[in-house]
Amino acid sequence: MVQALVLGAIGCALLLMVFNYISLKSLNEGTTEMAEIAKIIRDGAKTFMVAEYRTIIVVVAIVAIMFSLFIEKTSGLTFILGATMSSATCIIGMRSATYANVHTANKAYETKSIGETVKIALMGGSVSGLSVQAFGLLGLLLIIMITGGIDLNGTGSGFIPVLKCNPTIMWLTTYSLGCSLVAMFNRVAGGNYTKAADISADIVAKVRNDMPEDDSRMPNTIADFIGDNVNDVAGNCSDLLESFVATIVVSLLIAASIAESNTAVFQATITYPLILAGGGLLGCVIGLFFTLKHKSGKDPSHELNIATYISAASVILIGGIAAFFTFGQIKLYNSFILGWASPWIASILGIASGVAIGKITEYYTSTKYRSVQGLAEIAKEGSAFVITKGDAIGSRSCLLPILVIGLSLLGSGMLCGVYGVAISALGMLSFVATTVSIDAFGPIADNAGGIAESCHLEPEVRDITDQLDAVGNTTAAIGKGFAIGSAAFATVSLIFAYVGSYSVTTTPILNIANFVVIAGGLVGGALIEYFSALLTDNTIESAHLMADEGSRQLKIPGIIEGTKRPDYEKCIHMATKQALHKMLIPSLLALLIPVIGGLFFGVEFVGGLLIGATIVAIPRAIFMGNSGGAFDNAKKHIESGGLKECGKGSGPHKASVVGDTVGDTRKDVVGVALDIFIKTMSTVANTLAPLFASFHIF
Amino acid sequence: MVQALVLGAIGCALLLMVFNYISLKSLNEGTTEMAEIAKIIRDGAKTFMVAEYRTIIVVVAIVAIMFSLFIEKTSGLTFILGATMSSATCIIGMRSATYANVHTANKAYETKSIGETVKIALMGGSVSGLSVQAFGLLGLLLIIMITGGIDLNGTGSGFIPVLKCNPTIMWLTTYSLGCSLVAMFNRVAGGNYTKAADISADIVAKVRNDMPEDDSRMPNTIADFIGDNVNDVAGNCSDLLESFVATIVVSLLIAASIAESNTAVFQATITYPLILAGGGLLGCVIGLFFTLKHKSGKDPSHELNIATYISAASVILIGGIAAFFTFGQIKLYNSFILGWASPWIASILGIASGVAIGKITEYYTSTKYRSVQGLAEIAKEGSAFVITKGDAIGSRSCLLPILVIGLSLLGSGMLCGVYGVAISALGMLSFVATTVSIDAFGPIADNAGGIAESCHLEPEVRDITDQLDAVGNTTAAIGKGFAIGSAAFATVSLIFAYVGSYSVTTTPILNIANFVVIAGGLVGGALIEYFSALLTDNTIESAHLMADEGSRQLKIPGIIEGTKRPDYEKCIHMATKQALHKMLIPSLLALLIPVIGGLFFGVEFVGGLLIGATIVAIPRAIFMGNSGGAFDNAKKHIESGGLKECGKGSGPHKASVVGDTVGDTRKDVVGVALDIFIKTMSTVANTLAPLFASFHIF
């Protein structure tokens, strides 16, 4: 019955998604010039996706074969299913975003109404958002329906018969790992692509020549537009799909690991996560449908907030009713201190902390508040001060979000133990369709503005897209807060599940006051720093190469004069090649580190490794995101006249541009990749825990 | 018998210290001008110390009274003893350094011999180094001799009788905490002092005017000279004294916590750390005496290496003999897998990892290697690239040192359990007298160069002091590596001791797969970021105020023309005031965080807090130190002509100066304070563990 209901919710979501996609595609693309630029962006994005998936398919195939051969025979297929679901989402999201950008620009051009324009951008975003939650859940439900759910007494048919692995659990974790791997590749490649293009454009314009930013004579500009889609749409979709799937899976794993003889409670604990996920999806369908259909006002952020509030409220309502019917009639575990309401309140705690983290992020990164204004002010003392102050803002901004996470962990843990922690994470992600829709709104609006600028549309049009872009920046910051918060919860739950999966004691124990575990913890933390360095260095290298290409083209007669069109395709091709070339090693690191650690030093060392990586990655990700956001907005604050007598081109403005360039790599390459890095490592560890537990060298 | 031997070693060390101090004071100070500048520096340093200790005495008195009233009556006195020993070391170190600087300059001036000059600088440093190890050990030995050693059955006479605290253990930990608190104050105040002076001089010279660095017309320069002594001598001495004391104390605590019914092994395990510490001190006396007395060559780093090698070799020799006699005749714990040699080999592991970390640090921060050269190269693309690349170098440089620490933890843990980890830490710190002597060599040489410059001595003199300064930079980098490595080991041992002190199980357990502990871990990590932000913001603020004062003075007629002496004292006074004003909150944080955490959420939450803080602080400290060092040396590389066609004042040079200024706060304020922050928190937690275990709100 529950499965049918969830399937119904998925059906509704897919219906709305298809409807929005078709509505979008049928719109007018505006002038020939607009259509032309839109086509270059769309084709560039497609070329990148095709090239990227050529590599991903090979890696996925190899890993799938390894799983089927060495771990459990069907797990290779479930792994492929996960990778497929994630890929499908990315492709659909990219397609809709690269249509929505030009349609948004054109809607602004035709109607001059901000209310109408918001809807087009959100409609484009909703295709991504709905597909994330619907596809992620669909794959999972398929596995559960085919296998008939988790059978606690099931035994696997692995190559190594000593591995005590439960087949359903193995299928679920490998499904999640499939999603993880694709997300890992997308984030790493997307970050490299977008920032190599962006930074190289900056070097060519500002360091080597004296040209305005985003000048269309520079061959690097269009690659920059494509980059926004590659990272902020495809990367973000697969990242959050992975978080969502991992959180459901981990709730099921924890339900299985705490299951005592009480079958009724076990059935309830494995059912509730599915209801919450499906109910949340239904809530998002309602919220998005209402927002897109109602008569819209002039305040874009108000429109977006409506979607969020309706979705969140629906989840809370559905979650409460479901908790009552699922848990109300049975004798619960002792750890459920508030009875049937315990998991429900845990899920609300998750939602509340997601919102709180978003608001805190806004405080530290928006031009409306003291932090960014102070950063702009200090730009008068030169770029060294901008960087130092920005570093301080980034570091300072870690405390409150992590206190929120910590308190929420304590609260949900006290309510219903480790299960509560997992449900809290799921609460935060249960309306991911809406949060991703709003996230995707940002790059669509950004691209629309770029198209309006390149096609020299009237200032009024640019004005509308600028307003949308500003709203998009804030929502992006909040979205990053949500992504980090949910990754923190998801990873902690994954680690609990990991420890639970190999522990023989009733209470799973990972003793960090043990030299093997603490050594793992320290090394795990160091790996986060190393991974950050790797991504940063890769980005600089790619940017360097692309800048050299940009400079080369600018020397060709006619280009700097604006009489000859630069070879955009060459730069697009370079960005693609560099991104693909540089995505392999960092992504494989996430797969291989737990494997090597586990085979050498055993299951407890890996436990320490995951803990250390998580404890370091969360503040680092917040630091990267918020310092980068603050740098970006301090520059914008100065540009919009926030600093007396210091406009564009002044000393303080130049200092703020240095900050912005430093922040680019931080927020869009490193920060967004850290959470998927820890989630992937934890998922790999979860999948292979039985292996490490039976075999290691030291 | 052992106690008499250790007392003998302390006696030898104090004798050599006094002898060196007297020899140094009797030397000639050179020209009147030199004597005058030296006096300003000496008086400024003294003024700072007097003002600082006025605050420290109040805080120490309050904390001591609290301890005596609420925890255990004598512990207030042992706390004061610790604070006194640490303070004595700082005062002696500062005095000798502020004599040695001018004598070093004068020796170079009189003899023009680099060999002779090295000896004076090292003689000055040796006073600091010997006093660190001798005073630290003396206080401890006094406590042990008066109380007759740890009596496992002793019971305390606390205000709260339910607190099950062993009085001797309480006295030892409060002694260690006294050292900790002074070190915390010194590091925080010293960092603020030196960098506010340094950075303000940079702003005035480079951003606001177009003057050369270190121009004596700027009123901020002399404060900068004093700052080197305040941070690199007093701060470093108290920091390493604390590490040394904490490591011995924690070895004793662990010996007590693992003690089974076997009294003979227990006696051996609590005796060995004292022998190792005393034997190490004797080794340092031999090493330093030989280096100062033998006929010296022309390579300063060779001279310094001789001292290190002799000291380290003596420790290894004495440690081996001592291990044989201490452990050879008794039936050992099962965890001692290589018999009597287990603790000895663990200590060698510690020494080897200290050296390895130092070498790795050198690789990432010296102009001789690819990292810094690449950083200088990329300065051609502007300051944003310098910062991004420097960030990448800092992050990348964390991996190897932490792998060394991790492997060494694994190795020493396998050899003889948690006791092995503590002994490994002690091994690294057993010849701290020599490492501190060499650390103190750096600021002495730096000051000597400054005096030579200000007094317009011949280029030959400046050449000698420049060579010494360059060697000092490398040794400083290595010294920082040692400080971080030893702090990592010391903190891990402290956490083990902490868990051991409240655990009721045979194997002490801190289960991180528990929501309370992991919440503590996440919050602990966030606190490190917050603490870093606090120190950074404080430094910027102080620098800003001092820069405004510098600008104000430069506008007074006659000063910029060089006909009127600027008011150096005003700036010195400001630096002192700012440093003292801003040291209180960060230092008290380290005391209060574990107390608040423990009283609210209990002993396990604090355990998580310490783990999280340690796992984040170690890579952060390495990052700060190494990125800062790389920035500094990239600038020097460009200045010394390492980049073709780009000298002083060129675009790349300016970009590298931005990096250097950003690095200043990182390496000399934040990086060096992080290790003392985690050690202080861990020591506080250790002291109050019985309290948290009996009482907490949630």
Side-chain angles (χ1 to χ4, degrees):
Chain A
M1 220 279 276
V2 167
Q3 292 173 358
L5 283 175
V6 175
L7 212 54
I10 296 174
C12 292
L14 290 176
L15 218 64
L16 182 61
M17 184 195 90
V18 172
F19 176 75
N20 285 347
Y21 186 71
I22 293 173
S23 313
L24 197 68
K25 257 191 103 168
S26 66
L27 290 172
N28 193 345
E29 293 213 334
T31 66
T32 340
E33 208 181 353
M34 285 165 74
E36 195 184 327
I37 289 210
K39 193 169 179 311
I40 299 180
I41 297 177
R42 201 178 301 130
D43 290 350
K46 195 177 162 187
T47 311
F48 170 75
M49 293 300 269
V50 171
E52 186 192 18
Y53 276 97
R54 238 177 247 149
T55 308
I56 293 183
I57 285 172
V58 176
V59 178
V60 165
I62 294 172
V63 177
I65 291 170
M66 304 273 280
F67 273 125
S68 284
L69 284 183
F70 296 112
I71 306 289
E72 195 281 333
K73 64 177 194 283
T74 320
S75 59
L77 293 177
T78 47
F79 178 78
I80 291 174
L81 180 66
T84 310
M85 287 300 177
S86 178
S87 307
T89 305
C90 291
I91 292 164
I92 294 170
M94 283 281 271
R95 291 301 286 176
S96 79
T98 51
Y99 281 108
N101 53 8
V102 63
H103 294 149
T104 303
N106 189 48
K107 188 59 98 179
Y109 176 59
E110 282 178 355
T111 65
K112 309 283 184 308
S113 148
I114 190 159
E116 293 295 308
T117 314
V118 169
K119 284 193 177 167
I120 302 301
L122 183 61
M123 192 186 274
S126 75
V127 176
S128 304
L130 290 165
S131 69
V132 162
Q133 192 161 359
F135 280 110
L137 193 53
L138 180 62
L140 245 172
L141 200 65
L142 282 178
I143 295 178
I144 291 174
M145 287 168 78
I146 292 171
T147 63
I150 297 178
D151 173 10
L152 286 178
N153 303 316
T155 45
S157 57
F159 175 76
I160 307 163
V162 290
L163 292 185
K164 276 183 282 175
C165 73
N166 181 304
T168 321
I169 286 182
M170 188 52 81
W171 299 331
L172 291 173
T173 54
T174 44
Y175 173 73
S176 173
L177 188 59
C179 304
S180 238
L181 187 70
V182 172
M184 189 77 216
F185 276 118
N186 272 326
R187 271 300 192 200
V188 174
N192 193 286
Y193 190 113
T194 183
K195 290 299 128 176
D198 188 0
I199 296 175
S200 68
D202 281 354
I203 305 182
V204 174
K206 290 172 215 155
V207 181
R208 299 192 183 166
N209 299 282
D210 200 16
M211 290 164 72
E213 213 176 335
D214 289 339
D215 192 305
S216 65
R217 289 169 297 171
M218 264 192 308
N220 312 57
T221 39
I222 303 286
D224 191 6
F225 293 164
I226 298 173
D228 288 341
N229 292 296
V230 165
N231 199 32
D232 296 346
V233 179
N236 194 49
C237 281
S238 52
D239 189 354
L240 280 156
L241 181 136
E242 198 278 333
S243 270
F244 176 64
V245 167
T247 316
I248 306 178
V249 169
V250 84
S251 310
L252 304 178
L253 297 192
I254 286 177
S257 80
I258 60 173
E260 295 156 19
S261 49
N262 191 335
T263 332
V265 195
F266 172 60
Q267 282 307 326
T269 50
I270 60 165
T271 307
Y272 190 65
L274 289 178
I275 306 182
L276 204 59
L281 182 54
L282 200 65
C284 293
V285 171
I286 300 168
L288 289 168
F289 187 79
F290 178 81
T291 312
L292 291 172
K293 291 299 153 197
H294 88 132
K295 194 176 167 337
S296 59
K298 286 199 164 178
D299 180 2
S301 56
H302 179 69
E303 300 300 306
L304 300 180
N305 283 339
I306 289 178
T308 310
Y309 293 147
I310 295 179
S311 310
S314 310
V315 170
I316 294 177
L317 192 70
I318 296 173
I321 297 168
F324 180 75
F325 285 106
T326 319
F327 297 109
Q329 309 300 322
I330 49 179
K331 196 184 168 301
L332 290 162
Y333 298 131
N334 290 333
S335 62
F336 284 41
I337 60 164
L338 292 183
W340 64 266
S342 309
W344 178 47
I345 299 175
S347 75
I348 297 177
L349 265 181
I351 297 171
S353 33
V355 174
I357 295 170
K359 288 285 164 196
I360 297 165
T361 310
E362 195 188 347
Y363 171 76
Y364 282 108
T365 56
S366 157
T367 48
K368 281 187 290 183
Y369 300 101
R370 215 163 47 101
S371 265
V372 171
Q373 290 165 4
L375 185 57
E377 188 66 36
I378 215 161
K380 288 179 186 164
E381 306 295 350
S383 46
F385 266 62
V386 172
I387 303 294
T388 307
K389 182 75 194 170
D391 281 359
I393 293 175
S395 290
R396 193 179 280 266
S397 73
C398 298
L399 187 61
L400 287 180
I402 293 180
L403 276 181
V404 168
I405 293 172
L407 288 174
S408 193
L409 275 174
L410 283 173
S412 53
M414 283 174 188
L415 279 168
C416 42
V418 282
Y419 183 69
V421 175
I423 292 297
S424 195
L426 189 52
M428 201 187 273
L429 287 161
S430 56
F431 55 109
V432 70
T434 301
T435 48
V436 172
S437 302
I438 293 173
D439 285 348
F441 171 94
I444 292 173
D446 192 5
N447 258 238
I451 293 172
E453 179 95 356
S454 301
C455 301
H456 313 284
L457 301 184
E458 309 115 279
E460 266 179 288
V461 176
R462 184 68 197 177
D463 202 46
I464 292 176
T465 59
D466 273 355
Q467 282 186 56
L468 297 193
D469 191 23
V471 173
N473 277 337
T474 311
T475 58
I478 298 175
K480 272 175 194 148
F482 242 89
I484 291 164
S486 63
F489 272 86
T491 315
V492 167
S493 315
L494 279 166
I495 296 173
F496 286 176
Y498 171 76
V499 178
S501 74
Y502 70 78
S503 282
V504 284
T505 46
T506 333
T507 312
I509 286 178
L510 179 63
N511 181 18
I512 195 126
N514 167 296
F515 57 87
V516 178
V517 182
I518 187 79
L522 291 170
V523 172
L527 286 169
I528 294 297
E529 296 276 356
Y530 183 76
F531 180 73
S532 306
L534 209 59
L535 295 187
T536 308
D537 274 337
N538 282 348
T539 309
I540 298 185
E541 272 172 36
S542 302
H544 229 285
L545 282 173
M546 284 184 67
D548 288 346
E549 171 62 21
S551 294
R552 189 192 65 79
Q553 288 199 28
L554 280 181
K555 285 193 197 111
I556 298 170
I559 290 193
I560 196 112
E561 294 80 11
T563 55
K564 194 173 162 185
R565 179 178 169 283
D567 187 355
Y568 295 128
E569 285 75 11
K570 181 81 189 281
C571 278
I572 295 171
H573 177 72
M574 281 187 80
T576 303
K577 200 179 142 197
Q578 283 296 317
L580 297 181
H581 182 65
K582 295 202 160 106
M583 78 177 175
L584 211 58
I585 291 175
S587 307
L588 291 182
L589 263 187
L591 281 185
L592 293 178
I593 287 167
V595 178
I596 295 170
L599 292 179
F600 272 83
F601 301 109
V603 76
E604 297 213 304
F605 179 82
V606 175
L609 205 73
L610 300 179
I611 290 284
T614 306
I615 288 177
V616 173
I618 294 169
R620 282 287 88 200
I622 297 176
F623 169 89
M624 297 286 173
N626 290 356
S627 67
F631 283 136
D632 190 354
N633 282 332
K635 186 193 73 172
K636 289 198 174 123
H637 187 63
I638 294 177
E639 285 174 353
S640 64
L643 221 57
K644 260 186 197 164
E645 297 165 23
C646 303
K648 261 193 172 174
S650 64
H653 179 248
K654 280 184 183 157
S656 75
V657 169
V658 172
D660 183 38
T661 309
V662 170
D664 272 344
T665 315
R666 289 192 185 168
K667 71 181 195 307
D668 293 321
V669 180
V670 182
V672 292
L674 286 179
D675 55 359
I676 180 71
F677 185 66
I678 52 173
K679 283 184 292 173
T680 306
M681 288 210 297
S682 309
T683 310
V684 173
N686 252 306
T687 316
L688 299 179
L691 180 64
F692 307 152
S694 354
F695 172 78
H696 59 92
I697 297 173
F698 292 105
Chain B
M1 219 278 276
V2 167
Q3 292 172 0
L5 282 176
V6 175
L7 211 56
I10 296 175
C12 292
L14 290 177
L15 217 65
L16 182 61
M17 184 194 91
V18 171
F19 177 74
N20 284 348
Y21 186 72
I22 293 173
S23 314
L24 195 69
K25 258 191 102 169
S26 66
L27 290 173
N28 194 345
E29 295 213 333
T31 66
T32 338
E33 209 181 351
M34 287 164 75
E36 194 185 327
I37 289 208
K39 191 169 179 312
I40 300 180
I41 297 177
R42 201 176 303 132
D43 290 350
K46 193 176 162 188
T47 310
F48 170 75
M49 293 299 270
V50 170
E52 187 192 18
Y53 276 98
R54 236 177 248 151
T55 308
I56 292 183
I57 285 173
V58 175
V59 177
V60 166
I62 294 172
V63 177
I65 292 171
M66 305 273 281
F67 272 125
S68 284
L69 285 182
F70 296 113
I71 306 289
E72 194 281 331
K73 65 176 191 285
T74 321
S75 59
L77 292 177
T78 45
F79 177 77
I80 291 175
L81 181 66
T84 309
M85 287 301 178
S86 178
S87 307
T89 305
C90 291
I91 292 166
I92 293 171
M94 282 282 271
R95 291 300 286 176
S96 79
T98 51
Y99 280 108
N101 55 7
V102 62
H103 294 150
T104 303
N106 189 47
K107 188 60 98 182
Y109 176 58
E110 283 177 355
T111 64
K112 310 284 183 311
S113 148
I114 191 159
E116 292 294 309
T117 314
V118 170
K119 284 194 177 167
I120 302 300
L122 183 61
M123 191 187 276
S126 74
V127 175
S128 304
L130 290 166
S131 69
V132 163
Q133 193 160 358
F135 280 110
L137 193 53
L138 180 62
L140 247 171
L141 200 65
L142 280 179
I143 296 177
I144 292 174
M145 287 170 77
I146 292 172
T147 64
I150 298 179
D151 172 10
L152 286 177
N153 303 315
T155 46
S157 56
F159 175 75
I160 307 163
V162 289
L163 293 187
K164 276 183 283 175
C165 72
N166 180 304
T168 321
I169 287 183
M170 189 52 82
W171 300 332
L172 291 172
T173 53
T174 44
Y175 173 72
S176 173
L177 188 59
C179 304
S180 237
L181 188 70
V182 171
M184 189 76 215
F185 276 117
N186 272 326
R187 271 299 192 202
V188 174
N192 192 287
Y193 190 114
T194 184
K195 289 300 129 176
D198 188 3
I199 297 175
S200 67
D202 281 354
I203 304 181
V204 174
K206 290 172 215 155
V207 181
R208 299 193 182 164
N209 300 283
D210 201 13
M211 289 161 74
E213 215 176 334
D214 290 338
D215 192 305
S216 64
R217 288 170 297 172
M218 263 193 308
N220 313 55
T221 38
I222 302 285
D224 192 5
F225 292 164
I226 299 173
D228 288 340
N229 291 296
V230 166
N231 199 33
D232 296 345
V233 179
N236 194 48
C237 280
S238 51
D239 190 353
L240 282 156
L241 180 136
E242 198 277 332
S243 270
F244 176 64
V245 167
T247 317
I248 305 178
V249 169
V250 83
S251 309
L252 304 178
L253 299 191
I254 287 177
S257 82
I258 60 173
E260 295 156 17
S261 50
N262 191 335
T263 332
V265 195
F266 171 60
Q267 282 307 325
T269 49
I270 60 165
T271 306
Y272 190 64
L274 289 178
I275 306 182
L276 204 58
L281 181 55
L282 199 64
C284 293
V285 170
I286 299 168
L288 289 169
F289 187 79
F290 178 80
T291 312
L292 291 173
K293 291 298 154 199
H294 88 132
K295 196 176 165 339
S296 60
K298 285 199 164 179
D299 180 1
S301 56
H302 178 70
E303 299 300 306
L304 300 180
N305 284 340
I306 288 180
T308 310
Y309 292 146
I310 296 180
S311 311
S314 311
V315 170
I316 294 177
L317 191 71
I318 297 173
I321 298 169
F324 180 75
F325 285 106
T326 318
F327 297 107
Q329 308 300 323
I330 48 179
K331 197 182 168 302
L332 290 162
Y333 299 131
N334 289 332
S335 61
F336 283 41
I337 61 165
L338 292 182
W340 64 267
S342 309
W344 178 47
I345 299 174
S347 75
I348 297 177
L349 266 182
I351 297 172
S353 32
V355 174
I357 295 170
K359 288 285 165 198
I360 297 165
T361 309
E362 195 187 348
Y363 172 77
Y364 283 107
T365 57
S366 157
T367 48
K368 282 187 288 185
Y369 301 100
R370 215 164 45 102
S371 264
V372 170
Q373 289 165 4
L375 185 58
E377 188 66 34
I378 215 162
K380 288 178 187 164
E381 306 294 351
S383 45
F385 266 62
V386 172
I387 302 294
T388 307
K389 183 74 194 168
D391 282 0
I393 292 175
S395 290
R396 192 179 280 265
S397 72
C398 298
L399 187 61
L400 287 181
I402 293 180
L403 277 181
V404 168
I405 293 172
L407 288 175
S408 192
L409 275 175
L410 283 173
S412 52
M414 283 174 186
L415 278 169
C416 40
V418 282
Y419 184 69
V421 175
I423 292 296
S424 195
L426 189 52
M428 201 185 272
L429 287 161
S430 57
F431 55 109
V432 69
T434 301
T435 47
V436 171
S437 302
I438 292 172
D439 284 349
F441 171 92
I444 292 173
D446 193 3
N447 257 240
I451 293 172
E453 180 94 356
S454 301
C455 300
H456 314 285
L457 302 183
E458 308 114 280
E460 265 178 288
V461 175
R462 184 68 196 175
D463 203 45
I464 292 177
T465 59
D466 273 356
Q467 281 186 58
L468 297 192
D469 192 23
V471 173
N473 277 338
T474 311
T475 57
I478 298 174
K480 271 173 194 148
F482 242 89
I484 292 165
S486 64
F489 272 88
T491 314
V492 168
S493 314
L494 278 166
I495 296 173
F496 285 177
Y498 170 76
V499 178
S501 73
Y502 69 78
S503 282
V504 285
T505 46
T506 333
T507 312
I509 286 178
L510 177 65
N511 181 18
I512 197 123
N514 167 297
F515 56 88
V516 178
V517 182
I518 187 80
L522 291 170
V523 172
L527 285 171
I528 294 296
E529 296 276 358
Y530 183 76
F531 181 72
S532 307
L534 209 57
L535 294 187
T536 308
D537 274 337
N538 282 347
T539 309
I540 299 185
E541 272 172 36
S542 301
H544 228 284
L545 281 175
M546 283 184 67
D548 288 346
E549 171 61 21
S551 295
R552 187 191 66 78
Q553 288 197 28
L554 280 181
K555 285 195 198 106
I556 296 171
I559 290 193
I560 196 111
E561 294 81 12
T563 55
K564 195 172 161 184
R565 179 177 168 282
D567 187 355
Y568 294 128
E569 285 76 9
K570 182 81 190 281
C571 279
I572 295 171
H573 177 72
M574 282 186 81
T576 303
K577 199 178 143 196
Q578 283 297 317
L580 297 181
H581 183 64
K582 294 199 161 108
M583 78 176 175
L584 212 58
I585 291 175
S587 306
L588 290 181
L589 263 187
L591 281 184
L592 293 177
I593 288 166
V595 178
I596 295 169
L599 292 179
F600 272 84
F601 301 109
V603 76
E604 297 212 305
F605 179 81
V606 174
L609 205 72
L610 300 179
I611 290 285
T614 306
I615 288 177
V616 173
I618 294 169
R620 282 288 88 202
I622 298 176
F623 169 88
M624 298 285 172
N626 291 356
S627 68
F631 283 136
D632 189 353
N633 281 331
K635 186 193 73 170
K636 289 198 174 121
H637 187 62
I638 294 178
E639 285 174 354
S640 63
L643 222 57
K644 259 187 199 165
E645 295 166 25
C646 303
K648 260 192 172 174
S650 65
H653 179 246
K654 281 184 182 156
S656 75
V657 169
V658 172
D660 183 37
T661 309
V662 170
D664 272 343
T665 315
R666 288 191 184 169
K667 71 180 193 312
D668 293 321
V669 180
V670 182
V672 291
L674 286 178
D675 55 358
I676 181 70
F677 185 64
I678 52 174
K679 283 184 292 172
T680 305
M681 287 210 298
S682 308
T683 309
V684 172
N686 251 306
T687 317
L688 300 179
L691 180 65
F692 307 151
S694 355
F695 172 78
H696 59 91
I697 297 173
F698 292 106

